[in-house]
Amino acid sequence: MWYELTKEFIYGIVGLEGKLADALHFFIYDTVKIWFLLLTIIFAVSFLRTWVNTEYVRAHLQGKSALYGHVGASLFGIITPFCSCSAIPLFLGFIQARIPVGVTFSYLISAPMNNEIAIAMLFGLFGWKVTAIYIGFGLMVAIIGGYFIGKMGAEKEILLDVKPIDSELEAGLVSLTVKERAKEAWGYTLDIFKKIYLYVLLGVGVGAWIHGYIPTDFIARYTGEGNPFAVIIAVMMGIPMYSNAAGVMPLVEVLTGKGMLLGTALSFMMAVTALSLPEALILKKIISIRLIGLFFAIVGSGIIIIGYLFNTIL
């Protein structure tokens, strides 16, 4: 219904046609749709999250087995709507709580890649099946990546003198009424929305320009099914960029519509959100260059493998 209304407005009422009309129609339709999805799903997840606080999760992970820690930290990343740089403070909190470094990396990988913003937009643009596969593969990269980093003695690569918490953390639950939870969730939702709505506008704007003006054959030629190196190229292109899921997802939608295979497009998105040069610069003050390189190599390789698997499955 919204698609038809925006189409009638652009082509009928305003009377535009051609490439400009196509781009403007895409921009208005996608912007409002994505904003609605973000507000709805972030509120739902934020409301559920009011039952658990960060200290509870840190306390719960403290002292648990490695496998349990990797899985738990990766799942926790789903409910924290952080970009790769914003997740670093909590990454430090995990280290301070003496949670193994490999487990903290599982969180650092998962948080920007699998958070509710990415899930909401994936579901709205590609449906539940693609979303479920993406979440599964994203968790796999986070768990396995963190596991391998932990096995390589990463503790000695921590440069920052983080004062550990000597006492055991208390695993306390948050006690609020339903009304208070809803109020807190809505306030949090608006706060997150204010931080990302411009990224949505920017992402949709770029996507609209590609949608209206870039020929399908151009994109398909370099990143379509005929290029066996398309996934690798997409990941290498994504790493230097810096954006959150809200900014890059509209671009993914357009690229797939122009002929890029879905696995290749999602690999590009994973590389943009989970790996970025600003993240590396911040981490340089916390961990060694060797560990940063190891982190990028393991996660980048995992994303490339998942891109090819995604293309094979779909």
Side-chain angles (χ1 to χ4, degrees), residues 45-130:
V45 175
S46 300
F47 181 75
L48 294 174
R49 191 170 54 215
T50 58
W51 269 268
V52 180
N53 62 20
T54 303
E55 290 300 316
Y56 175 80
V57 175
R58 288 168 58 187
H60 187 70
L61 290 175
Q62 194 176 44
K64 294 295 190 299
S65 68
L67 179 61
Y68 186 94
H70 288 297
V71 174
S74 299
L75 289 172
F76 182 54
I78 294 178
I79 61 172
T80 51
F82 297 145
C83 64
S84 55
C85 294
S86 302
I88 291 176
L90 194 52
F91 170 82
L92 286 172
F94 283 164
I95 294 175
Q96 189 182 28
R98 292 182 174 176
I99 293 169
V101 173
V103 173
T104 66
F105 268 100
S106 285
Y107 168 77
L108 187 63
I109 297 167
S110 179
M113 195 160 54
N114 293 322
N115 63 62
E116 72 260 38
I117 298 171
I119 293 170
M121 297 178 76
L122 266 176
F123 179 78
L125 297 176
F126 298 108
W128 68 268
K129 186 181 293 186
V130 170

Coordinates of all heavy atoms in Angstrom, one line a residue, residues 45-130:
V45 N 12.6 -4.9 21.1 CA 13.8 -5.5 21.7 C 14.2 -4.8 22.9 O 14.6 -5.4 23.9 CB 14.9 -5.6 20.6 CG1 16.2 -6.1 21.3 CG2 14.6 -6.4 19.5
S46 N 14.1 -3.5 22.9 CA 14.5 -2.7 24.1 C 13.6 -2.9 25.3 O 14.0 -3.0 26.4 CB 14.4 -1.2 23.7 OG 15.3 -0.9 22.7
F47 N 12.3 -3.2 25.0 CA 11.3 -3.5 26.1 C 11.7 -4.8 26.7 O 11.7 -4.9 27.9 CB 9.9 -3.5 25.5 CG 8.9 -3.9 26.5 CD1 8.5 -2.9 27.4 CD2 8.3 -5.1 26.6 CE1 7.5 -3.2 28.3 CE2 7.3 -5.4 27.5 CZ 6.9 -4.4 28.4
L48 N 12.0 -5.8 25.9 CA 12.4 -7.1 26.4 C 13.8 -7.0 27.2 O 14.0 -7.7 28.2 CB 12.6 -8.1 25.3 CG 11.3 -8.5 24.6 CD1 11.6 -9.4 23.4 CD2 10.3 -9.2 25.5
R49 N 14.7 -6.1 26.7 CA 16.0 -6.0 27.3 C 15.9 -5.3 28.7 O 16.9 -5.4 29.5 CB 16.9 -5.2 26.4 CG 18.3 -5.2 26.8 CD 19.2 -4.6 25.7 NE 18.8 -3.3 25.4 CZ 18.9 -2.8 24.1 NH1 19.4 -3.6 23.2 NH2 18.6 -1.6 23.9
T50 N 14.8 -4.7 29.0 CA 14.7 -4.0 30.4 C 14.8 -5.0 31.5 O 14.9 -4.7 32.7 CB 13.5 -3.2 30.5 OG1 12.3 -4.0 30.3 CG2 13.5 -2.1 29.5
W51 N 14.6 -6.3 31.2 CA 14.6 -7.3 32.2 C 16.1 -7.7 32.6 O 16.3 -8.4 33.6 CB 13.9 -8.6 31.8 CG 12.4 -8.5 32.2 CD1 11.9 -9.1 33.4 CD2 11.3 -8.0 31.5 NE1 10.5 -8.8 33.4 CE2 10.2 -8.2 32.3 CE3 11.2 -7.3 30.3 CZ2 8.9 -7.7 31.9 CZ3 10.0 -6.9 29.9 CH2 8.8 -7.1 30.7
V52 N 17.0 -7.3 31.8 CA 18.4 -7.7 32.0 C 19.3 -6.5 31.8 O 19.2 -5.8 30.8 CB 18.9 -8.9 31.1 CG1 20.3 -9.3 31.3 CG2 18.0 -10.1 31.2
N53 N 20.3 -6.3 32.7 CA 21.2 -5.2 32.5 C 22.6 -5.7 32.2 O 22.9 -6.9 32.2 CB 21.3 -4.3 33.7 CG 21.8 -5.0 35.0 OD1 22.4 -6.1 34.9 ND2 21.5 -4.4 36.1
T54 N 23.5 -4.8 31.8 CA 24.9 -5.2 31.3 C 25.6 -5.9 32.5 O 26.3 -6.9 32.2 CB 25.6 -4.0 30.9 OG1 24.9 -3.4 29.8 CG2 27.0 -4.4 30.4
E55 N 25.5 -5.4 33.7 CA 26.2 -6.0 34.8 C 25.8 -7.5 35.0 O 26.6 -8.3 35.4 CB 26.0 -5.2 36.1 CG 26.6 -3.8 36.1 CD 28.1 -3.9 36.0 OE1 28.7 -4.8 36.7 OE2 28.7 -3.2 35.2
Y56 N 24.5 -7.7 34.8 CA 24.0 -9.1 34.9 C 24.7 -10.0 33.9 O 25.1 -11.1 34.2 CB 22.5 -9.1 34.7 CG 21.9 -10.5 34.7 CD1 21.7 -11.2 35.9 CD2 21.6 -11.2 33.6 CE1 21.2 -12.5 35.9 CE2 21.1 -12.5 33.5 CZ 20.9 -13.1 34.7 OH 20.4 -14.4 34.7
V57 N 24.8 -9.5 32.7 CA 25.4 -10.4 31.6 C 26.9 -10.6 31.9 O 27.4 -11.7 31.8 CB 25.2 -9.7 30.2 CG1 26.0 -10.5 29.2 CG2 23.8 -9.6 29.9
R58 N 27.6 -9.5 32.3 CA 29.0 -9.7 32.7 C 29.2 -10.6 33.8 O 30.1 -11.5 33.8 CB 29.6 -8.3 33.0 CG 29.8 -7.4 31.9 CD 30.1 -6.0 32.3 NE 31.3 -5.9 33.1 CZ 31.7 -4.8 33.7 NH1 31.0 -3.7 33.6 NH2 32.7 -4.8 34.4
A59 N 28.3 -10.5 34.8 CA 28.4 -11.4 36.0 C 28.1 -12.9 35.6 O 28.7 -13.8 36.0 CB 27.4 -11.0 37.1
H60 N 27.1 -13.0 34.7 CA 26.7 -14.3 34.2 C 27.8 -15.0 33.4 O 28.0 -16.2 33.5 CB 25.5 -14.2 33.4 CG 24.9 -15.6 33.0 ND1 24.2 -16.4 33.9 CD2 24.8 -16.2 31.8 CE1 23.8 -17.5 33.3 NE2 24.2 -17.4 32.0
L61 N 28.6 -14.3 32.6 CA 29.6 -14.8 31.8 C 30.9 -15.1 32.6 O 31.7 -15.9 32.2 CB 30.0 -13.9 30.6 CG 28.9 -13.7 29.5 CD1 29.4 -12.7 28.5 CD2 28.7 -15.1 28.8
Q62 N 31.1 -14.4 33.7 CA 32.3 -14.5 34.5 C 32.4 -15.9 35.1 O 31.5 -16.5 35.7 CB 32.3 -13.5 35.7 CG 33.6 -13.3 36.3 CD 33.5 -12.2 37.4 OE1 32.5 -12.2 38.2 NE2 34.5 -11.3 37.4
G63 N 33.5 -16.6 34.7 CA 33.8 -17.9 35.3 C 33.2 -19.1 34.5 O 33.3 -20.2 34.9
K64 N 32.5 -18.8 33.5 CA 31.8 -19.9 32.7 C 32.8 -20.5 31.7 O 33.9 -20.0 31.5 CB 30.6 -19.3 31.9 CG 29.5 -18.8 32.8 CD 28.8 -19.9 33.6 CE 27.5 -19.5 34.3 NZ 27.7 -18.4 35.2
S65 N 32.4 -21.7 31.2 CA 33.3 -22.4 30.3 C 33.5 -21.6 29.0 O 32.7 -20.7 28.7 CB 32.7 -23.7 29.9 OG 31.5 -23.5 29.1
A66 N 34.6 -21.9 28.3 CA 34.9 -21.1 27.1 C 33.8 -21.1 26.0 O 33.4 -20.1 25.5 CB 36.2 -21.6 26.5
L67 N 33.3 -22.3 25.7 CA 32.2 -22.4 24.7 C 31.0 -21.7 25.1 O 30.4 -21.0 24.3 CB 31.9 -23.9 24.5 CG 30.8 -24.2 23.5 CD1 31.2 -23.6 22.1 CD2 30.5 -25.7 23.4
Y68 N 30.6 -21.8 26.4 CA 29.4 -21.1 26.9 C 29.6 -19.6 26.8 O 28.7 -18.9 26.4 CB 29.2 -21.5 28.4 CG 27.9 -21.0 28.9 CD1 26.7 -21.7 28.9 CD2 27.9 -19.7 29.5 CE1 25.5 -21.2 29.5 CE2 26.7 -19.2 30.0 CZ 25.5 -19.9 30.0 OH 24.4 -19.4 30.5
G69 N 30.8 -19.2 27.1 CA 31.1 -17.7 27.1 C 31.1 -17.2 25.7 O 30.5 -16.1 25.4
H70 N 31.6 -17.9 24.7 CA 31.6 -17.5 23.3 C 30.2 -17.4 22.8 O 29.8 -16.4 22.1 CB 32.4 -18.4 22.4 CG 33.9 -18.3 22.6 ND1 34.6 -17.2 22.3 CD2 34.8 -19.2 23.0 CE1 35.9 -17.4 22.6 NE2 36.0 -18.6 23.0
V71 N 29.4 -18.4 23.0 CA 28.0 -18.4 22.6 C 27.2 -17.3 23.3 O 26.4 -16.5 22.6 CB 27.3 -19.8 22.8 CG1 25.8 -19.7 22.5 CG2 28.0 -20.9 22.0
G72 N 27.4 -17.2 24.6 CA 26.6 -16.2 25.4 C 27.0 -14.7 24.9 O 26.1 -13.9 24.7
A73 N 28.3 -14.5 24.7 CA 28.7 -13.1 24.3 C 28.2 -12.8 22.9 O 27.8 -11.7 22.6 CB 30.2 -13.1 24.4
S74 N 28.2 -13.8 22.0 CA 27.7 -13.6 20.7 C 26.2 -13.3 20.7 O 25.8 -12.4 19.9 CB 28.0 -14.8 19.8 OG 29.4 -15.1 19.7
L75 N 25.5 -14.0 21.5 CA 24.0 -13.8 21.6 C 23.8 -12.4 22.2 O 22.8 -11.7 21.8 CB 23.4 -14.9 22.4 CG 23.3 -16.3 21.7 CD1 22.8 -17.3 22.7 CD2 22.4 -16.2 20.5
F76 N 24.6 -12.0 23.2 CA 24.4 -10.7 23.8 C 24.6 -9.6 22.8 O 24.0 -8.5 22.9 CB 25.4 -10.6 25.0 CG 25.2 -9.3 25.7 CD1 24.0 -8.9 26.2 CD2 26.3 -8.4 25.9 CE1 23.9 -7.7 26.9 CE2 26.2 -7.2 26.6 CZ 25.0 -6.9 27.1
G77 N 25.5 -9.8 21.8 CA 25.7 -8.8 20.7 C 24.4 -8.5 20.0 O 24.3 -7.4 19.4
I78 N 23.5 -9.5 19.9 CA 22.3 -9.2 19.1 C 21.4 -8.1 19.7 O 20.8 -7.4 19.0 CB 21.4 -10.5 19.0 CG1 22.2 -11.6 18.2 CG2 20.0 -10.3 18.5 CD1 21.5 -12.9 18.1
I79 N 21.5 -8.0 21.1 CA 20.6 -7.0 21.7 C 21.3 -5.7 22.1 O 20.8 -4.9 22.8 CB 19.9 -7.6 23.0 CG1 20.9 -8.1 24.0 CG2 19.0 -8.8 22.6 CD1 20.3 -8.5 25.3
T80 N 22.5 -5.5 21.6 CA 23.2 -4.3 21.8 C 23.4 -3.6 20.5 O 24.2 -4.0 19.7 CB 24.6 -4.5 22.5 OG1 25.3 -5.5 21.8 CG2 24.4 -4.9 23.9
P81 N 22.7 -2.5 20.2 CA 22.7 -1.8 18.9 C 23.9 -0.9 18.7 O 23.8 0.3 18.5 CB 21.4 -1.0 18.9 CG 21.2 -0.6 20.3 CD 21.8 -1.8 21.1
F82 N 25.1 -1.5 18.7 CA 26.3 -0.7 18.6 C 27.0 -0.9 17.2 O 26.9 -2.0 16.6 CB 27.3 -1.2 19.6 CG 26.9 -0.9 21.0 CD1 27.2 -1.8 22.1 CD2 26.1 0.2 21.4 CE1 26.8 -1.6 23.4 CE2 25.7 0.4 22.7 CZ 26.1 -0.5 23.7
C83 N 27.6 0.1 16.7 CA 28.5 -0.1 15.6 C 29.8 -0.6 16.1 O 30.0 -0.8 17.3 CB 28.7 1.3 14.9 SG 29.6 2.5 15.9
S84 N 30.8 -0.9 15.2 CA 32.0 -1.5 15.6 C 32.8 -0.7 16.6 O 33.4 -1.2 17.5 CB 32.9 -1.8 14.4 OG 33.1 -0.6 13.6
C85 N 32.7 0.6 16.5 CA 33.5 1.5 17.5 C 32.7 1.7 18.8 O 33.3 1.7 19.9 CB 33.7 2.9 16.9 SG 34.8 2.9 15.4
S86 N 31.4 1.7 18.7 CA 30.6 1.9 20.0 C 30.6 0.7 20.9 O 30.3 0.8 22.1 CB 29.1 2.2 19.6 OG 29.1 3.4 18.8
A87 N 30.9 -0.5 20.3 CA 31.0 -1.7 21.1 C 32.2 -1.8 21.9 O 32.3 -2.6 22.9 CB 30.8 -2.9 20.2
I88 N 33.2 -1.0 21.7 CA 34.5 -1.1 22.3 C 34.5 -0.8 23.8 O 35.1 -1.5 24.6 CB 35.6 -0.2 21.6 CG1 35.9 -0.8 20.2 CG2 36.9 -0.1 22.4 CD1 36.8 0.0 19.4
P89 N 33.7 0.2 24.3 CA 33.6 0.4 25.8 C 33.1 -0.9 26.5 O 33.7 -1.2 27.6 CB 32.6 1.5 25.9 CG 32.8 2.3 24.7 CD 33.0 1.3 23.6
L90 N 32.1 -1.5 26.0 CA 31.7 -2.8 26.7 C 32.7 -3.9 26.5 O 32.9 -4.7 27.4 CB 30.3 -3.2 26.1 CG 29.6 -4.3 26.9 CD1 29.4 -3.8 28.3 CD2 28.2 -4.5 26.3
F91 N 33.4 -3.9 25.4 CA 34.6 -4.8 25.2 C 35.6 -4.6 26.4 O 36.1 -5.6 27.0 CB 35.2 -4.5 23.9 CG 36.5 -5.2 23.6 CD1 36.5 -6.5 23.1 CD2 37.7 -4.5 23.8 CE1 37.7 -7.1 22.9 CE2 38.9 -5.1 23.5 CZ 38.9 -6.4 23.0
L92 N 35.9 -3.4 26.7 CA 36.8 -3.1 27.8 C 36.2 -3.5 29.2 O 36.9 -4.0 30.1 CB 37.1 -1.6 27.9 CG 38.1 -1.1 26.8 CD1 38.1 0.4 26.9 CD2 39.4 -1.7 27.0
G93 N 34.9 -3.4 29.3 CA 34.2 -3.8 30.5 C 34.3 -5.3 30.7 O 34.5 -5.8 31.9
F94 N 34.2 -6.0 29.7 CA 34.3 -7.5 29.7 C 35.8 -7.9 30.2 O 35.9 -8.8 31.0 CB 34.0 -8.1 28.4 CG 32.6 -8.2 28.1 CD1 32.2 -8.5 26.8 CD2 31.6 -8.1 29.1 CE1 30.8 -8.6 26.5 CE2 30.3 -8.2 28.8 CZ 29.9 -8.4 27.5
I95 N 36.8 -7.2 29.6 CA 38.1 -7.4 30.0 C 38.3 -7.1 31.5 O 39.0 -7.9 32.3 CB 39.1 -6.6 29.2 CG1 39.1 -7.1 27.7 CG2 40.6 -6.7 29.7 CD1 39.9 -6.3 26.8
Q96 N 37.8 -6.0 32.0 CA 37.9 -5.6 33.4 C 37.2 -6.6 34.3 O 37.7 -6.9 35.4 CB 37.2 -4.3 33.5 CG 37.4 -3.6 34.9 CD 36.7 -2.3 35.1 OE1 35.7 -2.1 34.5 NE2 37.2 -1.4 35.9
A97 N 36.2 -7.3 33.8 CA 35.5 -8.3 34.6 C 36.2 -9.7 34.5 O 35.7 -10.7 35.0 CB 34.1 -8.5 34.1
R98 N 37.4 -9.7 33.9 CA 38.3 -10.9 33.8 C 37.6 -12.0 32.9 O 37.8 -13.2 33.1 CB 38.7 -11.4 35.1 CG 39.6 -10.5 35.9 CD 40.0 -11.1 37.2 NE 41.0 -10.3 37.8 CZ 41.5 -10.5 39.0 NH1 41.1 -11.5 39.7 NH2 42.5 -9.7 39.5
I99 N 36.8 -11.5 32.0 CA 36.2 -12.5 31.0 C 37.3 -12.7 30.0 O 37.9 -11.8 29.6 CB 34.9 -11.9 30.4 CG1 33.8 -11.8 31.5 CG2 34.4 -12.7 29.2 CD1 32.6 -11.0 31.0
P100 N 37.5 -14.0 29.6 CA 38.6 -14.3 28.6 C 38.5 -13.4 27.4 O 37.5 -13.1 26.9 CB 38.3 -15.7 28.2 CG 37.7 -16.3 29.4 CD 36.8 -15.2 30.0
V101 N 39.7 -13.0 26.9 CA 39.8 -12.1 25.7 C 39.1 -12.6 24.5 O 38.4 -11.9 23.7 CB 41.3 -11.7 25.4 CG1 41.4 -10.9 24.1 CG2 41.9 -11.0 26.5
G102 N 39.2 -13.9 24.3 CA 38.5 -14.6 23.1 C 37.0 -14.4 23.2 O 36.4 -14.1 22.2
V103 N 36.5 -14.5 24.4 CA 35.0 -14.3 24.6 C 34.6 -12.9 24.3 O 33.6 -12.6 23.7 CB 34.6 -14.7 26.0 CG1 33.1 -14.4 26.3 CG2 34.8 -16.2 26.2
T104 N 35.5 -11.9 24.8 CA 35.2 -10.5 24.5 C 35.2 -10.2 23.0 O 34.4 -9.4 22.6 CB 36.2 -9.6 25.3 OG1 37.5 -9.7 24.7 CG2 36.2 -9.9 26.7
F105 N 36.1 -10.9 22.3 CA 36.1 -10.7 20.8 C 34.9 -11.2 20.2 O 34.4 -10.7 19.2 CB 37.4 -11.3 20.2 CG 38.5 -10.3 20.2 CD1 39.5 -10.3 21.1 CD2 38.6 -9.4 19.2 CE1 40.6 -9.4 21.0 CE2 39.6 -8.4 19.1 CZ 40.6 -8.5 20.0
S106 N 34.3 -12.3 20.7 CA 33.1 -12.9 20.2 C 32.0 -11.8 20.2 O 31.2 -11.6 19.3 CB 32.6 -14.1 20.9 OG 33.4 -15.2 20.6
Y107 N 32.0 -11.1 21.4 CA 31.0 -10.0 21.5 C 31.3 -8.8 20.5 O 30.4 -8.3 19.8 CB 31.0 -9.4 22.9 CG 30.2 -8.1 23.0 CD1 28.8 -8.1 23.0 CD2 30.9 -6.9 23.0 CE1 28.1 -6.9 23.0 CE2 30.2 -5.7 23.1 CZ 28.8 -5.7 23.0 OH 28.1 -4.6 23.0
L108 N 32.6 -8.5 20.4 CA 33.0 -7.3 19.6 C 32.7 -7.6 18.1 O 32.3 -6.7 17.3 CB 34.5 -7.1 19.7 CG 35.1 -5.9 19.0 CD1 34.4 -4.6 19.6 CD2 36.6 -5.8 19.1
I109 N 32.7 -8.9 17.7 CA 32.4 -9.3 16.3 C 30.9 -9.3 16.1 O 30.4 -8.8 15.1 CB 33.0 -10.6 16.0 CG1 34.5 -10.6 16.0 CG2 32.5 -11.1 14.6 CD1 35.1 -12.0 16.0
S110 N 30.2 -9.8 17.1 CA 28.7 -10.0 16.9 C 27.9 -8.7 17.0 O 27.0 -8.5 16.3 CB 28.2 -11.0 18.0 OG 26.8 -11.2 17.9
A111 N 28.3 -7.8 18.0 CA 27.5 -6.6 18.3 C 27.2 -5.8 17.0 O 26.0 -5.4 16.8 CB 28.1 -5.8 19.4
P112 N 28.2 -5.4 16.3 CA 27.8 -4.5 15.1 C 27.2 -5.3 13.9 O 26.5 -4.7 13.1 CB 29.2 -4.0 14.7 CG 30.2 -5.0 15.1 CD 29.6 -5.6 16.4
M113 N 27.4 -6.6 13.9 CA 27.0 -7.4 12.7 C 25.6 -8.0 12.9 O 24.8 -8.1 12.0 CB 28.0 -8.5 12.5 CG 27.9 -9.2 11.2 SD 29.4 -10.1 10.7 CE 29.7 -11.1 12.1
N114 N 25.2 -8.3 14.2 CA 24.0 -9.0 14.4 C 23.0 -8.3 15.2 O 22.0 -8.9 15.7 CB 24.3 -10.4 15.1 CG 25.0 -11.3 14.3 OD1 24.8 -11.4 13.1 ND2 26.0 -12.0 14.9
N115 N 23.2 -7.0 15.5 CA 22.2 -6.3 16.4 C 20.8 -6.1 15.8 O 20.6 -6.4 14.6 CB 22.8 -4.9 16.8 CG 23.0 -4.0 15.6 OD1 22.0 -3.6 14.9 ND2 24.2 -3.6 15.3
E116 N 19.9 -5.7 16.6 CA 18.5 -5.7 16.2 C 18.2 -4.7 15.1 O 17.3 -4.9 14.3 CB 17.6 -5.3 17.4 CG 17.7 -3.8 17.9 CD 18.6 -3.7 19.1 OE1 19.6 -4.3 19.2 OE2 18.2 -2.8 19.9
I117 N 19.1 -3.7 14.9 CA 18.9 -2.8 13.7 C 19.1 -3.6 12.4 O 18.3 -3.5 11.5 CB 19.8 -1.6 13.8 CG1 19.5 -0.8 15.1 CG2 19.7 -0.7 12.6 CD1 20.6 0.3 15.4
A118 N 20.2 -4.3 12.4 CA 20.5 -5.1 11.2 C 19.4 -6.2 10.9 O 18.9 -6.4 9.8 CB 21.8 -5.9 11.3
I119 N 18.9 -6.8 12.0 CA 17.9 -7.8 11.9 C 16.6 -7.2 11.4 O 15.9 -7.8 10.6 CB 17.7 -8.5 13.3 CG1 18.9 -9.3 13.6 CG2 16.5 -9.4 13.2 CD1 19.0 -9.9 15.0
A120 N 16.2 -6.1 12.0 CA 14.9 -5.4 11.6 C 14.9 -5.0 10.1 O 14.0 -5.3 9.4 CB 14.7 -4.1 12.5
M121 N 16.1 -4.5 9.7 CA 16.1 -4.0 8.3 C 16.2 -5.2 7.3 O 15.6 -5.2 6.2 CB 17.3 -3.1 8.1 CG 17.2 -1.8 8.9 SD 18.6 -0.7 8.8 CE 18.3 0.0 7.2
L122 N 16.9 -6.3 7.7 CA 17.0 -7.5 6.9 C 15.6 -8.1 6.7 O 15.2 -8.5 5.6 CB 18.0 -8.5 7.5 CG 19.4 -8.5 7.0 CD1 20.2 -9.5 7.8 CD2 19.5 -8.8 5.6
F123 N 14.9 -8.2 7.8 CA 13.6 -8.8 7.8 C 12.7 -8.0 6.9 O 11.9 -8.6 6.1 CB 13.0 -8.9 9.2 CG 11.6 -9.5 9.3 CD1 11.5 -10.8 9.2 CD2 10.5 -8.7 9.4 CE1 10.2 -11.4 9.2 CE2 9.3 -9.2 9.5 CZ 9.1 -10.6 9.4
G124 N 12.7 -6.7 7.0 CA 11.8 -5.8 6.2 C 12.2 -5.9 4.7 O 11.3 -5.8 3.9
L125 N 13.5 -6.0 4.4 CA 13.9 -6.0 3.0 C 13.9 -7.3 2.3 O 13.6 -7.4 1.1 CB 15.3 -5.3 2.9 CG 15.3 -3.9 3.4 CD1 16.8 -3.4 3.3 CD2 14.5 -3.0 2.5
F126 N 14.3 -8.4 3.0 CA 14.6 -9.7 2.4 C 13.7 -10.8 3.0 O 13.8 -12.0 2.5 CB 16.0 -10.0 2.5 CG 16.9 -9.1 1.8 CD1 17.7 -8.2 2.5 CD2 17.0 -9.0 0.4 CE1 18.6 -7.3 1.9 CE2 17.8 -8.1 -0.3 CZ 18.6 -7.2 0.5
G127 N 13.0 -10.6 4.1 CA 12.2 -11.7 4.6 C 12.9 -12.5 5.7 O 14.1 -12.3 6.0
W128 N 12.1 -13.4 6.3 CA 12.6 -14.1 7.5 C 13.6 -15.2 7.2 O 14.6 -15.4 8.0 CB 11.4 -14.8 8.3 CG 10.8 -15.9 7.5 CD1 9.7 -15.9 6.6 CD2 11.2 -17.3 7.5 NE1 9.4 -17.1 6.1 CE2 10.3 -18.0 6.7 CE3 12.2 -18.0 8.2 CZ2 10.5 -19.4 6.4 CZ3 12.3 -19.4 8.0 CH2 11.5 -20.0 7.1
K129 N 13.6 -15.8 6.0 CA 14.5 -16.9 5.7 C 15.9 -16.3 5.6 O 16.9 -16.9 6.1 CB 14.1 -17.5 4.4 CG 14.9 -18.8 4.1 CD 14.5 -19.4 2.7 CE 13.1 -20.0 2.9 NZ 12.8 -20.8 1.6
V130 N 16.1 -15.2 4.8 CA 17.4 -14.6 4.6 C 17.9 -14.1 6.0 O 19.1 -14.2 6.3 CB 17.3 -13.5 3.6 CG1 18.6 -12.7 3.6 CG2 17.1 -14.0 2.2

